[in-house]
Amino acid sequence: AQKTRKPLVCFLLQAPDETIRQRLAIRNKTGDLSNIRTFAQYAEIRTRYQQMTGVNVVFVDTTLSIETNRQIVFNILAPYKIV
């Protein structure tokens, strides 16, 4: 960020617990190679999250369509001319 003189923008992907459970079930049925296989594993990892300070954090609701989120992200990044 210092070299490019652009702000650091982090995107935090979020979904309700029930959505996470459904996605994990689908992953397990399809043989996805994710290292997170159970909701308990996900919940344990989530406890490690700490909000970063000094950076712009954009919360992305992953229950919205990919196209909607893509537009949100591009609109946020557009002023910085990095996309």
Side-chain angles (χ1 to χ4, degrees):
Q2 289 176 333
K3 287 183 181 181
T4 62
R5 298 183 195 266
K6 307 287 185 189
L8 174 62
V9 180
C10 297
F11 295 90
L12 178 62
L13 307 179
Q14 297 181 310
D17 288 350
E18 186 53 36
T19 300
I20 299 298
R21 283 186 176 91
Q22 291 169 357
R23 290 175 181 170
L24 287 168
I26 291 168
R27 283 182 178 183
N28 289 331
K29 283 183 185 176
T30 61
D32 186 284
L33 298 178
S34 172
N35 60 342
I36 300 173
R37 299 194 186 283
T38 67
F39 187 81
Q41 289 174 318
Y42 166 79
E44 192 278 323
I45 290 168
R46 189 173 60 187
T47 64
R48 298 183 211 167
Y49 172 75
Q50 295 180 358
Q51 179 76 39
M52 292 186 289
T53 57
V55 298
N56 299 316
V57 177
V58 177
F59 296 91
V60 178
D61 179 354
T62 64
T63 62
L64 301 174
S65 72
I66 290 173
E67 182 57 31
T68 298
N69 278 320
R70 188 182 74 76
Q71 276 307 126
I72 292 168
V73 168
F74 283 176
N75 290 341
I76 290 166
L77 296 178
Y80 306 113
K81 299 180 178 151
I82 55 177
V83 290

